Structures are given as C-alpha cells and as structure tokens.
Amino acid sequence: MIDKKAPIDYLTRPVKSIFSNEATIGVLLFLSAVAAMVVANSSWGGEWYEHLWEKEITISFDDKEFGLTLHYLINDGLMAIFFFLVGLEIKREVIAGELSTWKKASMPIAAAIGGMAVPALIFIAFNPGETGKGWGIPMATDIAFALGLINLVRRRIAPSVKVFITSLAVVDDIGAVLVIAFFYTSSFDVDQLYIAGGAWVLLMAANRLGIRNVFFYTFIGISGIWVAFFYSGIHPTIAGILLAFTIPAKYRITKDQFTDRLKILYRKYLKTTTIDTDFNTEREDYLLKGIRSAGDDARTPLQKIEHGLFPFVYFVIMPIFAFANAGLKIEDNFWAGLVEPIGLGIIFGLIVGKFVGISLVSRLMVAMGLAQLPEGSSWKQIYGTSILAGIGFTMSLFISELAFVNREYAESAKSAILVASILAGVIGLLVIRFTNSKKPML
C-alpha cells in the first residue's frame, strides 16, 4: 500500500531536497555575506545596518540583569549554540568516528596542526608588533563553506578525501576553541569559574547516573555554565563546548533489545480494533508512544540533539552571524586594508599558509610511514582540498572580533578574511577541477 501524500508534501519535497544538500549551506552563507555587504553599502540601508546591531536587549535572570547589544547577543549567545554543536561533533568523532583510533586520526590531526601553525607564523611574520595578537585569525577553517564547495566537485575526488577534510576541520575547531580560551581571555573571575565547574561536574555525574532528559542538561548548561562564563570574563561560547561533553553518548537499549520490544509492540498493534475515524484509539495511541519510546531508547541523546540542532544552526544561526558580521563598507580603506600588515598576514596565512601547512605535513606523515593517503585519493586531491581549507569565513570573523578592540584593525581583518576566503574557494575549485578526472557515478 502506497502512503497517501498530503498536498503540502508536494510543496515541501523540493525544499527538503535543497536543504539536505551540503552545498546549500555554503551558498546560504555566501548570500548572507553578500546581502550584508549590499545593505551596508547602500544609501537606503547603510545607516540602519550600522545602528541595528547596537540596539540593546535586556534579559533578566533571577536577581541578575543582562544588558546586551544585538551584536553581542548573536556573537556570544547564538554562537554558543554553534559551539555546542561543534562540541557534539567532536565528541562523536572521538568516540566512534574518524578520530576514534590513532590509525584513523593521525593524518588529519597532524595536517590540522600544520594547517594552524603555518598560517599563524605567517601572520606573525607580517605583524611582529601590536597587531600580532590577531595570529589566531588565519588558523581557522570554515567547514560548512569548504564541504559545500567540495560537494560541487564531488565526482573528482575520492569520498575518503571528504572524510579527511571533515576530520581535519574537527581538529581545527578544537584548536580554535583552545586558542579562544587560553589566548583571547584577558582576565577572569575565579569564583564564577568555580560555579561553572560545579555545574559541569553535576552534569557529568548526571550522565554517569543515566539521566537523559534534554531539558535538564539545557537548563543547567545555560543557568550554570553559560551564565557563569558570561560573568567570569572567559568568552561564553566556550560554555557550549563544555556542555556538549556532558551529553550522554550511549543508547539505553541494544539493537537486539530494540528489535524484541518492537516485535512485541507490533504484534499488539495488529490486534487493536481501528475505529473508522481520523483518530487513533487510546490503545493504538498508547502502543505508538511505546514504539516511539523504544526508538528514543535505541538512539543516543548526543545524536538526537546533534541531528535536531543541525538545521537550526546552519540554516538560521550561521546566516544571521554572517549577515551581522560581514557588512563592511567598501571605501578606500577597504582596499587599503588588504595591503596593510593585518590584511597581508590574513590573506597569505589563509591561502598560502593553509595549503603549505596541510599538504607539507601530510606528505611528511606519509613519507615517514606514520600515515597513509586516504583510500582512493591522490596528492592532487589533497592539494586542492588543502587550498579550500583556507576558507576561514565564520571562525575567522569570530576570532577577529575577539582579537582587535581597535575597530580599524577589526575592519581591515574582516575585509582580508572575505577576500582570502573567496580566493581560496575559487582557486581550490579550479585546482580540483583541472587536475582530477571525473569519476563515474556509482
């Protein structure tokens, strides 16, 4: 029997198809950045765009009150959710993914370290003085953009290369988080860190006790960890990473137990009497809830939360972040900023540094017998994806906000990030396109 489709299904099917494509994420982020640039440089929206992000939003929590600008709320509030998702991805990869064994993890870990160290050194070479504090900016890789573009040339690279660059980006994210925590925190309140630490220990204990309630972890995570980090002086987005590590990553019932429970519920469901209406009987509804409960017990909370958050983070939070941070006015200082030490350090760091760091360290690891090329891949594919890793957009913009209080420095950094990311994307695609033959579709 074929499932009967509702009229709305014919409308939502193409939408679901578009948003299930990884390339859509990169396109959406690009359009958000372009929209920000257009609005910021228009005569009708420039002033509105500039003042919009300075509007203050007041949030009251118990006897405390947060007076946050819209820009701060996006960069420190919404982005904490992004970092939470990153933390879930990191935990999943370490437990059961490409970082779960040294054999799998050795090459992407080493390549990621090279891809962070070389860009940082290049930036410092251009900026030995005060502006050198921006060395963390060219270290980052925007995995959403990179994977979106890789999807456009997926027939010219081995699937293992996509896994390699994804794993590399996860390690890159770990590095970025550590850099933010240790190098872009000027001072902190120890008492608040004790509170955050206590809340974190409580959640870890709840994990060990088998508590799987998402609301419990969310409430303690926000009221205990995020708020404490907010007042501690350490960037509150780190709270998202710490909270992610507390989320249970074990299922409650095994595959066999799930199958046995499902068989019992299925047999009982077949014996129910269906009333000829559009509603289920109480017995049917009870059994259907049991089936759903069995499915929940067979899945890990980590995977449920990760899959649930993914569309919200990448189709809502990230475009908002891009729109709020990419609106640079294209004036004389925009182009002049590209040839300033900050601009040159970022451009050469992201384009040259990422390529040299990732590809050189990868070759050394293979030459020394410590790692192997991803299955079915070639060095040409590694070179192309190494260049694509120079797309630093999201994380680079984020770190630039932390690195430079001086707005002139920050604007110069942002203009260089946008230009370097575009160049890395275009050059990377061209290298993959013209150095690798198209593979037949399976």
Side-chain angles (χ1 to χ4, degrees):
M1 181 178 179
I2 300 175
D3 292 338
K4 183 179 179 181
K5 294 186 181 296
I8 191 65
D9 293 332
Y10 295 98
L11 298 176
T12 58
R13 184 192 298 173
V15 175
K16 289 180 180 179
S17 177
I18 292 173
F19 283 92
S20 63
N21 191 327
E22 289 177 333
T24 304
I25 299 174
V27 171
L28 188 58
L29 287 176
F30 176 75
L31 292 177
S32 299
V34 170
M37 295 285 285
V38 170
V39 174
N41 288 278
S42 67
S43 58
W44 48 269
E47 187 175 346
W48 168 83
Y49 180 89
E50 185 176 344
H51 294 296
L52 171 65
W53 313 115
E54 300 308 315
K55 291 185 179 295
E56 190 167 292
I57 299 174
T58 302
I59 302 174
S60 297
F61 182 82
D62 197 14
D63 60 338
K64 298 183 183 295
E65 188 174 276
F66 303 92
L68 308 176
T69 64
L70 184 57
H71 188 264
Y72 193 92
L73 186 62
I74 291 170
N75 285 18
D76 291 53
L78 290 182
M79 286 300 285
I81 302 175
F82 164 74
F83 276 87
F84 175 63
L85 181 62
V86 168
L88 294 176
E89 293 172 347
I90 291 171
K91 184 172 182 177
R92 171 173 50 78
E93 290 294 334
V94 170
I95 291 175
E98 292 302 313
L99 303 179
S100 59
T101 65
W102 175 247
K103 183 178 180 180
K104 291 181 179 180
S106 57
M107 187 159 167
I109 288 177
I113 293 173
M116 290 185 284
V118 176
L121 292 173
I122 289 177
F123 185 89
I124 292 172
F126 279 99
N127 297 269
E130 178 190 358
T131 55
K133 64 178 67 174
W135 58 269
I137 298 173
M139 291 174 61
T141 293
D142 191 311
I143 186 58
F145 256 133
L147 288 182
L149 292 180
I150 285 175
N151 198 53
L152 298 177
V153 289
R154 62 186 182 278
R155 291 184 62 187
R156 295 181 183 273
I157 61 173
S160 59
V161 174
K162 186 176 178 180
V163 174
F164 166 74
I165 198 69
T166 302
S167 304
L168 181 150
V170 170
V171 179
D172 193 283
D173 285 337
I174 296 174
V177 170
L178 294 175
V179 165
I180 292 170
F182 291 107
F183 298 100
Y184 290 110
T185 298
S186 55
S187 61
F188 53 86
D189 185 327
V190 176
D191 291 337
Q192 293 296 331
L193 291 183
Y194 284 143
I195 295 173
W200 189 78
V201 170
L202 173 63
L203 291 180
M204 289 299 290
N207 184 330
R208 299 295 294 178
L209 289 171
I211 296 175
R212 298 161 61 90
N213 188 285
V214 174
F215 176 78
F216 173 79
Y217 288 93
T218 302
F219 179 77
I220 300 298
I222 295 175
S223 62
I225 301 178
W226 188 89
V227 172
F229 268 84
F230 179 87
Y231 282 107
S232 72
I234 297 179
H235 204 274
T237 51
I238 303 301
I241 293 287
L242 291 178
L243 176 60
F245 293 159
T246 70
I247 302 301
K250 293 182 179 179
Y251 45 71
R252 177 169 284 172
I253 60 175
T254 65
K255 183 177 180 179
D256 289 339
Q257 290 172 326
F258 168 71
T259 303
D260 291 341
R261 189 190 297 185
L262 208 58
K263 288 177 180 177
I264 294 171
L265 290 168
Y266 173 69
R267 285 195 294 267
K268 290 181 178 180
Y269 186 77
L270 287 178
K271 294 178 181 179
T272 58
T273 301
T274 302
I275 300 175
D276 191 19
T277 67
D278 290 331
F279 296 96
N280 297 317
T281 63
E282 288 189 14
R283 178 63 175 169
E284 287 174 328
D285 195 52
Y286 172 78
L287 293 172
L288 289 172
K289 286 181 180 178
I291 293 172
R292 185 177 64 182
S293 177
D296 287 339
D297 288 344
R299 298 179 68 197
T300 69
L302 185 148
Q303 289 171 301
K304 285 190 289 186
I305 296 173
E306 184 182 351
H307 293 159
L309 273 182
F310 186 89
F312 176 66
V313 168
Y314 284 103
F315 295 111
V316 179
I317 291 179
M318 300 305 290
I320 290 175
F321 174 82
F323 185 71
N325 288 276
L328 300 174
K329 289 190 175 181
I330 302 179
E331 299 172 338
D332 291 340
N333 61 338
F334 177 91
W335 304 109
L338 298 179
V339 294
E340 292 292 329
I342 291 176
L344 291 174
I346 291 173
I347 292 173
F348 279 93
L350 283 174
I351 297 176
V352 179
K354 279 289 183 182
F355 168 70
V356 172
I358 293 172
S359 58
L360 179 61
V361 170
S362 296
R363 292 215 69 136
L364 288 174
M365 289 290 289
V366 173
M368 292 187 294
L370 298 175
Q372 292 180 332
L373 268 175
E375 185 179 355
S377 68
S378 66
W379 284 115
K380 292 178 181 179
Q381 295 175 22
I382 298 296
Y383 296 151
T385 52
S386 297
I387 298 172
L388 286 179
I391 303 173
F393 189 72
T394 304
M395 196 68 80
S396 293
L397 287 175
F398 186 79
I399 295 177
S400 70
E401 288 286 327
L402 302 178
F404 298 124
V405 176
N406 184 306
R407 296 316 302 167
E408 183 179 342
Y409 292 166
E411 296 296 304
S412 179
K414 288 183 179 181
S415 61
I417 291 167
L418 293 175
V419 170
S421 295
I422 292 172
L423 288 175
V426 172
I427 296 171
L429 285 179
L430 290 176
V431 168
I432 294 173
R433 168 68 177 78
F434 290 107
T435 61
N436 296 278
S437 59
K438 186 179 292 187
K439 295 175 173 58
M441 297 293 288
L442 297 178

